[in-house]
Amino acid sequence: EVAFGYKGLKILLYYIAGNLSTFFRIEYTSKVNEKFDCVEADDVESKIREIIPPGFCTNTDDFVSLLEKEVNFKPFGMLLHTYSIHNEEAGEDITYQIYKADMTCPGFREYHERLQTFLMWFIETASFIDVDDERWNYFLVFEKYNKDGATLFATVGYMTVYNYYVYPDKTRPRVSQMLILPPFQGEGHGAQLLETVHRYYMSSPTVLDITAEDPSENYVKLRDFVLVKLCQDLLCFSPVKLMQGFSQEMVTEAQHKLKINKQHTRRVYEILRLRATNMGDAEQSRSYRLDVKRRLIGPYKKKQRELAKMRRCLRPEEMTNQLNQIDLNMQREQLEESFQQLVSDYRRVLERLAQA
């Protein structure tokens, strides 16, 4: 946003990599006052103080002294998964760990207050959650590294999941927030985190399926990759069965073994069938296109039903054949465009899968 009323404004906001202790200070060379055309400068400091929790440092020496205590910081909760990623710049494999935590972990509440502030800096329309609700689960990613003979941890990202009740005795975990911090983006941590969370809930007999709250386009692409990776070895997704079409067997097995709902299973089927289809073969290509378009045409059929109702209510001159024909042509174009975009997205998932 634009901060009014300052010259040479600098907003200094630093986090220590592990426990996220914070340093905050505002610097500027000059600032307007009421004598300047009866206006005041924006209260930038108050706006940021509303977001970051109390207890932050404003003195550089105090903040530097906290760095020495980083060696005492350890991740919260239960270790779920350890993995390594090769870092070209460092020329070595770097170790990462994923933990599951909750508010009963000593010190985690205060840590989470600092952690969630990153949402405000990097995600549009983000908001804080009610941490007093015990249905929340927290999954944290840390980089594990050595410095001067000591083992230290740096915060990489996290995910919050809310466990909704499903009558009579099930729960439906719903991913609410997910953030990988910018220095670590593009390295595969999001996929590692989402797959780890899925595997955690897969082992629970009380979980019905796993969903997401208002997923972004990037999250949907990430989920496609992770779910296809999990499903590709199921017998119901063998090439022979894929070519026979989408089946109830796929829905049942994906939900029972992997906690994937019907809608997401259908996308997995379409991606894996694309891999099994020779798109250079006219008959196979046509069969695949029609299969996907039968699903995509659902909203258009609904619109046709609405048009049919309008025809019964409006006078003939208000609903001409020409208008209907234009509408149908537009729908065909939109349907083909949707199909081509979907295939393009699916191909990217398959390319990533081939490199995994």
Side-chain angles (χ1 to χ4, degrees), residues 151-207:
T151 301
L152 287 84
F153 294 87
T155 302
V156 172
Y158 81 115
M159 175 191 289
T160 58
V161 180
Y162 191 79
N163 296 290
Y164 281 91
Y165 167 71
V166 179
Y167 181 85
D169 58 354
K170 301 285 186 183
T171 59
R172 173 174 281 128
R174 179 182 291 179
V175 177
S176 175
Q177 302 161 323
M178 182 177 181
L179 175 66
I180 301 299
L181 296 177
F184 302 96
Q185 289 175 6
E187 297 179 353
H189 300 292
Q192 290 281 355
L193 177 57
L194 186 56
E195 182 176 347
T196 299
V197 170
H198 258 272
R199 291 189 181 281
Y200 171 77
Y201 287 116
M202 277 160 44
S203 61
S204 173
T206 62
V207 170

Short mmCIF file of all heavy atoms in Angstrom, two decimals, residues 151-207:
data_model
loop_
_atom_site.label_atom_id
_atom_site.label_comp_id
_atom_site.label_asym_id
_atom_site.label_seq_id
_atom_site.Cartn_x
_atom_site.Cartn_y
_atom_site.Cartn_z
N THR A 151 23.25 -27.87 15.97
CA THR A 151 22.12 -28.13 15.06
C THR A 151 21.05 -27.06 15.26
O THR A 151 20.57 -26.86 16.38
CB THR A 151 21.51 -29.52 15.33
OG1 THR A 151 22.52 -30.52 15.13
CG2 THR A 151 20.35 -29.79 14.41
N LEU A 152 20.69 -26.37 14.18
CA LEU A 152 19.70 -25.31 14.25
C LEU A 152 18.55 -25.60 13.29
O LEU A 152 18.68 -26.44 12.38
CB LEU A 152 20.32 -23.95 13.93
CG LEU A 152 21.22 -23.33 15.00
CD1 LEU A 152 22.63 -23.88 14.90
CD2 LEU A 152 21.26 -21.81 14.88
N PHE A 153 17.44 -24.88 13.50
CA PHE A 153 16.26 -25.07 12.65
C PHE A 153 15.76 -23.71 12.16
O PHE A 153 15.73 -22.74 12.92
CB PHE A 153 15.15 -25.76 13.43
CG PHE A 153 15.47 -27.18 13.82
CD1 PHE A 153 16.15 -27.45 15.00
CD2 PHE A 153 15.10 -28.24 13.01
CE1 PHE A 153 16.46 -28.74 15.38
CE2 PHE A 153 15.42 -29.54 13.37
CZ PHE A 153 16.09 -29.80 14.55
N ALA A 154 15.37 -23.66 10.88
CA ALA A 154 14.80 -22.45 10.29
C ALA A 154 13.39 -22.73 9.80
O ALA A 154 13.12 -23.78 9.22
CB ALA A 154 15.66 -21.96 9.13
N THR A 155 12.47 -21.81 10.05
CA THR A 155 11.08 -21.97 9.63
C THR A 155 10.98 -21.84 8.11
O THR A 155 11.44 -20.86 7.53
CB THR A 155 10.19 -20.92 10.30
OG1 THR A 155 10.31 -21.04 11.72
CG2 THR A 155 8.73 -21.09 9.90
N VAL A 156 10.35 -22.83 7.47
CA VAL A 156 10.19 -22.85 6.01
C VAL A 156 8.77 -22.51 5.60
O VAL A 156 8.53 -21.77 4.65
CB VAL A 156 10.59 -24.23 5.45
CG1 VAL A 156 10.26 -24.36 3.97
CG2 VAL A 156 12.07 -24.47 5.69
N GLY A 157 7.79 -23.04 6.33
CA GLY A 157 6.39 -22.81 5.99
C GLY A 157 5.49 -23.62 6.90
O GLY A 157 5.95 -24.33 7.79
N TYR A 158 4.19 -23.52 6.64
CA TYR A 158 3.24 -24.26 7.49
C TYR A 158 1.88 -24.38 6.84
O TYR A 158 1.59 -23.74 5.82
CB TYR A 158 3.13 -23.59 8.85
CG TYR A 158 2.20 -22.39 8.95
CD1 TYR A 158 1.04 -22.43 9.73
CD2 TYR A 158 2.47 -21.20 8.28
CE1 TYR A 158 0.21 -21.34 9.85
CE2 TYR A 158 1.65 -20.10 8.39
CZ TYR A 158 0.51 -20.17 9.17
OH TYR A 158 -0.33 -19.08 9.28
N MET A 159 1.05 -25.23 7.44
CA MET A 159 -0.33 -25.44 6.98
C MET A 159 -1.23 -25.59 8.19
O MET A 159 -0.84 -26.21 9.18
CB MET A 159 -0.42 -26.70 6.11
CG MET A 159 -1.84 -27.07 5.67
SD MET A 159 -1.92 -28.71 4.90
CE MET A 159 -1.10 -28.40 3.34
N THR A 160 -2.43 -25.00 8.12
CA THR A 160 -3.43 -25.21 9.17
C THR A 160 -4.58 -26.02 8.57
O THR A 160 -4.98 -25.81 7.43
CB THR A 160 -3.98 -23.88 9.71
OG1 THR A 160 -4.55 -23.12 8.64
CG2 THR A 160 -2.88 -23.07 10.37
N VAL A 161 -5.09 -26.97 9.36
CA VAL A 161 -6.17 -27.85 8.91
C VAL A 161 -7.24 -27.88 9.99
O VAL A 161 -6.95 -28.08 11.17
CB VAL A 161 -5.65 -29.28 8.64
CG1 VAL A 161 -6.80 -30.17 8.17
CG2 VAL A 161 -4.53 -29.26 7.61
N TYR A 162 -8.50 -27.68 9.57
CA TYR A 162 -9.62 -27.71 10.51
C TYR A 162 -10.39 -29.02 10.35
O TYR A 162 -10.72 -29.43 9.24
CB TYR A 162 -10.57 -26.53 10.29
CG TYR A 162 -11.58 -26.36 11.39
CD1 TYR A 162 -11.23 -25.75 12.60
CD2 TYR A 162 -12.89 -26.82 11.24
CE1 TYR A 162 -12.15 -25.60 13.62
CE2 TYR A 162 -13.81 -26.67 12.26
CZ TYR A 162 -13.45 -26.06 13.45
OH TYR A 162 -14.36 -25.91 14.47
N ASN A 163 -10.67 -29.68 11.46
CA ASN A 163 -11.35 -30.98 11.44
C ASN A 163 -12.85 -30.81 11.63
O ASN A 163 -13.34 -30.67 12.76
CB ASN A 163 -10.77 -31.89 12.52
CG ASN A 163 -9.30 -32.20 12.27
OD1 ASN A 163 -8.97 -32.92 11.34
ND2 ASN A 163 -8.43 -31.64 13.08
N TYR A 164 -13.59 -30.83 10.52
CA TYR A 164 -15.05 -30.72 10.58
C TYR A 164 -15.68 -32.05 10.97
O TYR A 164 -15.21 -33.12 10.56
CB TYR A 164 -15.60 -30.26 9.23
CG TYR A 164 -15.45 -28.78 8.98
CD1 TYR A 164 -14.32 -28.29 8.34
CD2 TYR A 164 -16.42 -27.87 9.39
CE1 TYR A 164 -14.16 -26.92 8.11
CE2 TYR A 164 -16.27 -26.51 9.17
CZ TYR A 164 -15.14 -26.05 8.53
OH TYR A 164 -14.98 -24.70 8.32
N TYR A 165 -16.77 -31.96 11.72
CA TYR A 165 -17.50 -33.16 12.12
C TYR A 165 -18.45 -33.59 11.00
O TYR A 165 -19.13 -32.76 10.39
CB TYR A 165 -18.30 -32.89 13.39
CG TYR A 165 -19.32 -33.94 13.74
CD1 TYR A 165 -18.93 -35.20 14.19
CD2 TYR A 165 -20.69 -33.69 13.60
CE1 TYR A 165 -19.86 -36.17 14.51
CE2 TYR A 165 -21.64 -34.65 13.91
CZ TYR A 165 -21.22 -35.91 14.36
OH TYR A 165 -22.14 -36.86 14.66
N VAL A 166 -18.47 -34.90 10.71
CA VAL A 166 -19.38 -35.45 9.72
C VAL A 166 -20.21 -36.53 10.41
O VAL A 166 -19.64 -37.49 10.95
CB VAL A 166 -18.62 -36.04 8.51
CG1 VAL A 166 -19.61 -36.63 7.51
CG2 VAL A 166 -17.76 -34.98 7.84
N TYR A 167 -21.51 -36.37 10.40
CA TYR A 167 -22.41 -37.33 11.05
C TYR A 167 -22.28 -38.71 10.42
O TYR A 167 -22.18 -38.85 9.21
CB TYR A 167 -23.86 -36.83 10.92
CG TYR A 167 -24.88 -37.74 11.58
CD1 TYR A 167 -25.16 -37.62 12.95
CD2 TYR A 167 -25.54 -38.71 10.84
CE1 TYR A 167 -26.09 -38.45 13.55
CE2 TYR A 167 -26.47 -39.55 11.45
CZ TYR A 167 -26.73 -39.41 12.80
OH TYR A 167 -27.65 -40.24 13.41
N PRO A 168 -22.26 -39.80 11.21
CA PRO A 168 -22.39 -39.80 12.67
C PRO A 168 -21.05 -39.85 13.43
O PRO A 168 -20.98 -39.45 14.57
CB PRO A 168 -23.19 -41.08 12.92
CG PRO A 168 -22.73 -42.01 11.84
CD PRO A 168 -22.41 -41.16 10.64
N ASP A 169 -19.99 -40.38 12.78
CA ASP A 169 -18.77 -40.63 13.56
C ASP A 169 -17.50 -40.36 12.76
O ASP A 169 -16.47 -40.98 12.99
CB ASP A 169 -18.75 -42.07 14.07
CG ASP A 169 -18.83 -43.09 12.94
OD1 ASP A 169 -19.02 -42.68 11.78
OD2 ASP A 169 -18.69 -44.30 13.22
N LYS A 170 -17.57 -39.44 11.79
CA LYS A 170 -16.40 -39.16 10.94
C LYS A 170 -15.97 -37.69 11.07
O LYS A 170 -16.70 -36.86 11.62
CB LYS A 170 -16.72 -39.45 9.46
CG LYS A 170 -17.13 -40.89 9.18
CD LYS A 170 -15.95 -41.83 9.21
CE LYS A 170 -16.35 -43.24 8.78
NZ LYS A 170 -15.22 -44.19 8.86
N THR A 171 -14.81 -37.40 10.54
CA THR A 171 -14.35 -36.01 10.43
C THR A 171 -13.89 -35.76 9.00
O THR A 171 -13.51 -36.69 8.28
CB THR A 171 -13.18 -35.70 11.38
OG1 THR A 171 -12.08 -36.58 11.08
CG2 THR A 171 -13.59 -35.86 12.83
N ARG A 172 -13.94 -34.48 8.60
CA ARG A 172 -13.49 -34.09 7.27
C ARG A 172 -12.44 -32.99 7.43
O ARG A 172 -12.78 -31.81 7.57
CB ARG A 172 -14.65 -33.61 6.41
CG ARG A 172 -14.22 -33.02 5.05
CD ARG A 172 -15.40 -32.68 4.18
NE ARG A 172 -15.93 -33.87 3.53
CZ ARG A 172 -17.22 -34.24 3.57
NH1 ARG A 172 -18.08 -33.51 4.26
NH2 ARG A 172 -17.62 -35.31 2.94
N PRO A 173 -11.14 -33.33 7.46
CA PRO A 173 -10.12 -32.30 7.57
C PRO A 173 -10.15 -31.37 6.35
O PRO A 173 -10.18 -31.84 5.21
CB PRO A 173 -8.80 -33.10 7.60
CG PRO A 173 -9.21 -34.49 7.99
CD PRO A 173 -10.58 -34.69 7.41
N ARG A 174 -10.14 -30.07 6.63
CA ARG A 174 -10.17 -29.10 5.54
C ARG A 174 -8.96 -28.17 5.66
O ARG A 174 -8.77 -27.50 6.66
CB ARG A 174 -11.46 -28.27 5.58
CG ARG A 174 -11.51 -27.21 4.47
CD ARG A 174 -12.78 -26.38 4.55
NE ARG A 174 -13.95 -27.16 4.22
CZ ARG A 174 -15.20 -26.67 4.23
NH1 ARG A 174 -15.40 -25.40 4.58
NH2 ARG A 174 -16.21 -27.43 3.93
N VAL A 175 -8.13 -28.16 4.61
CA VAL A 175 -6.96 -27.28 4.58
C VAL A 175 -7.45 -25.83 4.53
O VAL A 175 -8.22 -25.46 3.65
CB VAL A 175 -6.05 -27.59 3.38
CG1 VAL A 175 -4.89 -26.60 3.32
CG2 VAL A 175 -5.55 -29.02 3.44
N SER A 176 -6.98 -25.03 5.47
CA SER A 176 -7.43 -23.63 5.54
C SER A 176 -6.35 -22.69 5.02
O SER A 176 -6.61 -21.85 4.16
CB SER A 176 -7.78 -23.28 6.99
OG SER A 176 -8.10 -21.90 7.10
N GLN A 177 -5.15 -22.79 5.57
CA GLN A 177 -4.06 -21.90 5.18
C GLN A 177 -2.82 -22.72 4.83
O GLN A 177 -2.53 -23.73 5.47
CB GLN A 177 -3.71 -20.95 6.34
CG GLN A 177 -4.88 -20.10 6.82
CD GLN A 177 -4.64 -19.54 8.21
OE1 GLN A 177 -4.05 -20.20 9.05
NE2 GLN A 177 -5.08 -18.33 8.45
N MET A 178 -2.11 -22.26 3.83
CA MET A 178 -0.86 -22.93 3.47
C MET A 178 0.10 -21.88 2.94
O MET A 178 -0.25 -21.11 2.05
CB MET A 178 -1.10 -24.02 2.42
CG MET A 178 0.17 -24.78 2.04
SD MET A 178 -0.17 -26.10 0.87
CE MET A 178 1.48 -26.79 0.67
N LEU A 179 1.30 -21.85 3.50
CA LEU A 179 2.28 -20.86 3.08
C LEU A 179 3.69 -21.43 3.16
O LEU A 179 4.09 -21.94 4.20
CB LEU A 179 2.20 -19.60 3.96
CG LEU A 179 3.26 -18.53 3.70
CD1 LEU A 179 3.08 -17.92 2.31
CD2 LEU A 179 3.21 -17.44 4.77
N ILE A 180 4.40 -21.37 2.05
CA ILE A 180 5.84 -21.63 2.03
C ILE A 180 6.50 -20.27 1.87
O ILE A 180 6.16 -19.51 0.95
CB ILE A 180 6.25 -22.56 0.87
CG1 ILE A 180 5.51 -23.91 0.97
CG2 ILE A 180 7.75 -22.78 0.87
CD1 ILE A 180 5.79 -24.70 2.22
N LEU A 181 7.42 -19.93 2.76
CA LEU A 181 8.03 -18.61 2.73
C LEU A 181 8.81 -18.39 1.43
O LEU A 181 9.41 -19.34 0.91
CB LEU A 181 8.94 -18.42 3.94
CG LEU A 181 8.21 -18.46 5.30
CD1 LEU A 181 9.22 -18.33 6.44
CD2 LEU A 181 7.18 -17.34 5.39
N PRO A 182 8.82 -17.18 0.90
CA PRO A 182 9.40 -16.89 -0.42
C PRO A 182 10.80 -17.45 -0.68
O PRO A 182 11.04 -17.98 -1.77
CB PRO A 182 9.38 -15.35 -0.47
CG PRO A 182 8.18 -14.99 0.32
CD PRO A 182 8.14 -15.99 1.46
N PRO A 183 11.75 -17.40 0.29
CA PRO A 183 13.09 -17.94 -0.02
C PRO A 183 13.10 -19.43 -0.33
O PRO A 183 14.06 -19.94 -0.92
CB PRO A 183 13.89 -17.66 1.26
CG PRO A 183 13.16 -16.56 1.95
CD PRO A 183 11.72 -16.78 1.63
N PHE A 184 12.04 -20.14 0.06
CA PHE A 184 11.99 -21.59 -0.11
C PHE A 184 11.01 -22.02 -1.21
O PHE A 184 10.86 -23.22 -1.46
CB PHE A 184 11.59 -22.27 1.20
CG PHE A 184 12.51 -21.96 2.35
CD1 PHE A 184 12.21 -20.95 3.25
CD2 PHE A 184 13.70 -22.66 2.52
CE1 PHE A 184 13.06 -20.65 4.31
CE2 PHE A 184 14.55 -22.39 3.57
CZ PHE A 184 14.24 -21.37 4.47
N GLN A 185 10.33 -21.08 -1.84
CA GLN A 185 9.34 -21.44 -2.85
C GLN A 185 10.00 -21.97 -4.11
O GLN A 185 11.12 -21.61 -4.45
CB GLN A 185 8.46 -20.22 -3.17
CG GLN A 185 7.52 -19.85 -2.04
CD GLN A 185 6.73 -18.58 -2.30
OE1 GLN A 185 6.77 -18.01 -3.39
NE2 GLN A 185 5.99 -18.12 -1.30
N GLY A 186 9.30 -22.87 -4.78
CA GLY A 186 9.82 -23.45 -6.02
C GLY A 186 10.77 -24.60 -5.80
O GLY A 186 11.39 -25.08 -6.77
N GLU A 187 10.91 -25.07 -4.57
CA GLU A 187 11.84 -26.17 -4.27
C GLU A 187 11.13 -27.50 -4.00
O GLU A 187 11.78 -28.50 -3.74
CB GLU A 187 12.72 -25.79 -3.07
CG GLU A 187 13.60 -24.58 -3.31
CD GLU A 187 14.43 -24.21 -2.09
OE1 GLU A 187 14.22 -24.83 -1.01
OE2 GLU A 187 15.30 -23.32 -2.20
N GLY A 188 9.79 -27.49 -4.00
CA GLY A 188 9.05 -28.73 -3.78
C GLY A 188 8.55 -28.93 -2.36
O GLY A 188 8.02 -30.00 -2.03
N HIS A 189 8.69 -27.92 -1.50
CA HIS A 189 8.26 -28.07 -0.11
C HIS A 189 6.73 -28.17 0.01
O HIS A 189 6.22 -28.87 0.88
CB HIS A 189 8.78 -26.91 0.73
CG HIS A 189 10.26 -26.80 0.76
ND1 HIS A 189 11.08 -27.73 1.36
CD2 HIS A 189 11.10 -25.87 0.21
CE1 HIS A 189 12.34 -27.38 1.21
NE2 HIS A 189 12.39 -26.27 0.51
N GLY A 190 6.02 -27.45 -0.85
CA GLY A 190 4.56 -27.50 -0.80
C GLY A 190 4.04 -28.91 -1.06
O GLY A 190 3.14 -29.39 -0.36
N ALA A 191 4.62 -29.57 -2.05
CA ALA A 191 4.22 -30.94 -2.37
C ALA A 191 4.57 -31.90 -1.23
O ALA A 191 3.77 -32.77 -0.87
CB ALA A 191 4.89 -31.40 -3.66
N GLN A 192 5.76 -31.72 -0.64
CA GLN A 192 6.15 -32.56 0.49
C GLN A 192 5.19 -32.38 1.67
O GLN A 192 4.78 -33.35 2.32
CB GLN A 192 7.58 -32.21 0.93
CG GLN A 192 8.67 -32.63 -0.05
CD GLN A 192 9.02 -34.10 0.05
OE1 GLN A 192 8.53 -34.82 0.90
NE2 GLN A 192 9.88 -34.55 -0.85
N LEU A 193 4.82 -31.12 1.92
CA LEU A 193 3.93 -30.83 3.05
C LEU A 193 2.54 -31.41 2.81
O LEU A 193 1.97 -32.08 3.69
CB LEU A 193 3.85 -29.32 3.25
CG LEU A 193 2.89 -28.80 4.34
CD1 LEU A 193 3.23 -29.42 5.70
CD2 LEU A 193 2.95 -27.28 4.42
N LEU A 194 1.98 -31.18 1.63
CA LEU A 194 0.62 -31.66 1.35
C LEU A 194 0.57 -33.19 1.35
O LEU A 194 -0.38 -33.78 1.88
CB LEU A 194 0.14 -31.10 0.01
CG LEU A 194 -1.32 -31.41 -0.36
CD1 LEU A 194 -2.27 -30.91 0.73
CD2 LEU A 194 -1.68 -30.78 -1.70
N GLU A 195 1.57 -33.83 0.79
CA GLU A 195 1.59 -35.30 0.78
C GLU A 195 1.73 -35.84 2.20
O GLU A 195 1.07 -36.83 2.57
CB GLU A 195 2.74 -35.81 -0.08
CG GLU A 195 2.78 -37.33 -0.16
CD GLU A 195 3.86 -37.86 -1.11
OE1 GLU A 195 4.42 -37.07 -1.88
OE2 GLU A 195 4.13 -39.08 -1.04
N THR A 196 2.55 -35.20 3.02
CA THR A 196 2.72 -35.64 4.41
C THR A 196 1.42 -35.51 5.19
O THR A 196 1.05 -36.41 5.97
CB THR A 196 3.82 -34.81 5.10
OG1 THR A 196 5.05 -35.00 4.40
CG2 THR A 196 3.99 -35.23 6.55
N VAL A 197 0.70 -34.41 4.97
CA VAL A 197 -0.58 -34.20 5.65
C VAL A 197 -1.59 -35.26 5.21
O VAL A 197 -2.32 -35.83 6.03
CB VAL A 197 -1.11 -32.77 5.38
CG1 VAL A 197 -2.55 -32.63 5.87
CG2 VAL A 197 -0.21 -31.74 6.06
N HIS A 198 -1.63 -35.55 3.91
CA HIS A 198 -2.54 -36.59 3.41
C HIS A 198 -2.21 -37.94 4.04
O HIS A 198 -3.09 -38.67 4.48
CB HIS A 198 -2.44 -36.69 1.89
CG HIS A 198 -3.58 -36.01 1.18
ND1 HIS A 198 -4.77 -36.63 0.89
CD2 HIS A 198 -3.71 -34.75 0.74
CE1 HIS A 198 -5.58 -35.79 0.28
NE2 HIS A 198 -4.95 -34.63 0.18
N ARG A 199 -0.92 -38.27 4.09
CA ARG A 199 -0.53 -39.56 4.65
C ARG A 199 -0.85 -39.64 6.15
O ARG A 199 -1.19 -40.71 6.66
CB ARG A 199 0.96 -39.81 4.40
CG ARG A 199 1.30 -40.05 2.94
CD ARG A 199 2.74 -40.51 2.76
NE ARG A 199 3.07 -40.72 1.36
CZ ARG A 199 2.74 -41.79 0.65
NH1 ARG A 199 2.04 -42.77 1.23
NH2 ARG A 199 3.08 -41.91 -0.62
N TYR A 200 -0.76 -38.50 6.84
CA TYR A 200 -1.10 -38.48 8.26
C TYR A 200 -2.58 -38.83 8.47
O TYR A 200 -2.92 -39.66 9.32
CB TYR A 200 -0.80 -37.10 8.85
CG TYR A 200 -1.32 -36.92 10.26
CD1 TYR A 200 -0.65 -37.49 11.35
CD2 TYR A 200 -2.49 -36.22 10.50
CE1 TYR A 200 -1.14 -37.34 12.64
CE2 TYR A 200 -2.98 -36.07 11.80
CZ TYR A 200 -2.31 -36.63 12.86
OH TYR A 200 -2.80 -36.49 14.13
N TYR A 201 -3.45 -38.22 7.68
CA TYR A 201 -4.89 -38.45 7.86
C TYR A 201 -5.34 -39.78 7.25
O TYR A 201 -6.35 -40.35 7.68
CB TYR A 201 -5.70 -37.31 7.23
CG TYR A 201 -5.63 -36.03 8.03
CD1 TYR A 201 -5.05 -34.88 7.52
CD2 TYR A 201 -6.17 -35.96 9.32
CE1 TYR A 201 -4.99 -33.70 8.24
CE2 TYR A 201 -6.12 -34.79 10.06
CZ TYR A 201 -5.53 -33.66 9.53
OH TYR A 201 -5.46 -32.50 10.26
N MET A 202 -4.61 -40.28 6.26
CA MET A 202 -4.97 -41.56 5.64
C MET A 202 -4.99 -42.70 6.64
O MET A 202 -5.74 -43.66 6.50
CB MET A 202 -3.97 -41.89 4.52
CG MET A 202 -4.26 -41.23 3.19
SD MET A 202 -2.81 -41.15 2.09
CE MET A 202 -2.10 -42.77 2.24
N SER A 203 -4.17 -42.59 7.67
CA SER A 203 -4.05 -43.69 8.64
C SER A 203 -5.19 -43.68 9.66
O SER A 203 -5.31 -44.61 10.47
CB SER A 203 -2.72 -43.58 9.38
OG SER A 203 -2.64 -42.35 10.10
N SER A 204 -6.04 -42.64 9.62
CA SER A 204 -7.13 -42.54 10.60
C SER A 204 -8.43 -43.12 10.05
O SER A 204 -8.92 -42.66 9.02
CB SER A 204 -7.34 -41.08 10.99
OG SER A 204 -8.48 -40.96 11.82
N PRO A 205 -9.02 -44.10 10.74
CA PRO A 205 -10.28 -44.69 10.26
C PRO A 205 -11.48 -43.75 10.40
O PRO A 205 -12.52 -43.99 9.81
CB PRO A 205 -10.44 -45.93 11.15
CG PRO A 205 -9.68 -45.60 12.40
CD PRO A 205 -8.52 -44.75 11.96
N THR A 206 -11.32 -42.68 11.19
CA THR A 206 -12.45 -41.76 11.39
C THR A 206 -12.51 -40.64 10.35
O THR A 206 -13.46 -39.88 10.31
CB THR A 206 -12.38 -41.12 12.79
OG1 THR A 206 -11.17 -40.35 12.90
CG2 THR A 206 -12.43 -42.18 13.88
N VAL A 207 -11.47 -40.53 9.51
CA VAL A 207 -11.44 -39.47 8.49
C VAL A 207 -12.19 -39.94 7.25
O VAL A 207 -11.92 -41.01 6.71
CB VAL A 207 -9.99 -39.09 8.14
CG1 VAL A 207 -9.96 -38.19 6.92
CG2 VAL A 207 -9.32 -38.41 9.32
#
